[in-house]
């Protein structure tokens, strides 16, 4: 079975500071990994995904994530955040294809001026 | 990408009643999914809506409570039956497109009094 853990439910940060949102997963098989963002009163939008290849993945809005197989992690980073990055971020895994996604509980990023 | 429209965007309902949520996609898709997003919790897959066959439900979800229709490749409905306050949640329609990627509607926020 698969599971996803996002240890931080809320992350406050000042504008232009760097941020890292943590994601760990457990799975008995190889997985695809994703980060989604949800702005207030909107649906989820894909930020980035890891399917194979380079373990450092770059996404939209300046975000990147690194897949670490030995630590079963897929942490999301941004070197300098903006007020507009305030949203909830979800890490997700799927064991293959797109029929079953397992989501973390989400991390609310609050960027303060 | 895929554009997904959900109706209603929000509703307030009385205990014991039923509500049907509609999901319209701008192009044909094989698989559509219904998720529930409860406050402070992960997104949870309710069922996979398959065109031409019965929906496939995840553990903990049953057809009598969450009947699903999938009359064609661009449309699906989810009904929440005999509602209780515990059903208050955001219900999300999603579709799979590129390998390992889900697209989401904006969700239907349901409050049961």
């Amino acid at each position: 079975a698969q599971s996803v853990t996002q240890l931080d439910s809320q992350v406050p940060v000042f504008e232009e500071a760097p941020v890292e949102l943590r994601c760990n997963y457990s799975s008995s098989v190889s997985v695809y990994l994703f980060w989604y963002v949800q702005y207030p009163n909107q649906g989820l939008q894909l930020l980035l995904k890891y399917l194979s290849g380079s373990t450092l993945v770059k996404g939209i809005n300046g975000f990147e994530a690194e897949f670490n197989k030995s630590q079963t992690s897929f942490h999301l980073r941004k070197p300098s955040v903006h007020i507009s990055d305030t949203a909830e971020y979800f890490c997700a895994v799927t064991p293959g294809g797109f029929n079953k996604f397992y989501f973390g509980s989400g991390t609310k990023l609050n960027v303060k001026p | 990408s895929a554009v997904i429209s959900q109706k209603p965007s929000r509703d307030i309902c009385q205990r014991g009643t039923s509500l049907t949520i509609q999901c319209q996609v701008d192009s044909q898709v094989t698989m559509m999914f219904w998720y529930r997003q409860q406050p402070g919790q992960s997104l949870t897959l309710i069922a996979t809506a398959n065109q031409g066959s019965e929906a496939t439900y995840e553990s903990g979800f049953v057809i009598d409570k969450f009947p699903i229709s999938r009359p064609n490749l661009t449309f699906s409905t989810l009904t929440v039956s005999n509602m209780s306050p515990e059903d208050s949640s955001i219900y999300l329609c999603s579709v799979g497109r590129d390998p390992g990627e889900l697209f989401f509607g904006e969700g239907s926020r349901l409050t049961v009094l």
Side-chain angles (χ1 to χ4, degrees), chain A residues 32 34 36 38 41-44 46 49 51 88 90 94 97-101 103-105, chain B residues 10 31 33 35 37 41-43 45 58 92 96-102 104-106 109:
Chain A
Y32 299 150
F34 305 82
Y36 283 85
Q38 186 176 34
N41 299 314
Q42 295 188 26
L44 276 74
L46 180 69
K49 61 184 176 183
L51 304 182
E88 190 159 16
F90 292 91
T94 178
F98 45 75
N99 54 349
K100 281 194 180 183
F101 274 60
F103 286 85
S105 54
Chain B
R10 58 179 64 230
M31 298 173 81
F33 309 92
Y35 282 84
Q37 184 180 13
Q41 297 187 29
S42 301
L43 279 75
L45 180 63
E58 297 299 306
L92 293 157
R97 185 56 61 82
D98 291 337
E101 182 172 347
L102 287 183
F104 288 85
E106 294 189 352
R109 186 181 296 270

Side-chain angles (χ1 to χ4, degrees), chain B residues 44-91:
Chain B
T44 303
L45 180 63
I46 298 172
T48 302
N50 306 306
Q51 196 270 334
S53 64
E54 279 196 1
T56 304
Y57 289 83
E58 297 299 306
S59 175
F61 297 96
V62 295
I63 188 171
D64 290 346
K65 176 67 176 178
F66 298 101
I68 288 171
S69 77
R70 181 82 194 274
N72 57 53
L73 292 175
T74 63
F75 187 78
S76 177
T77 67
L78 169 75
T79 299
V80 186
S81 304
N82 189 24
M83 289 183 286
S84 67
E86 293 71 33
D87 294 320
S88 296
S89 186
I90 299 173
Y91 293 86

Side-chain angles (χ1 to χ4, degrees), chain A residues 19 23 45 70 84 88 93 96 102 104 111 113:
Chain A
V19 70
C23 173
Q45 177 184 0
S70 63
S84 59
E88 190 159 16
V93 304
Y102 300 86
V111 181

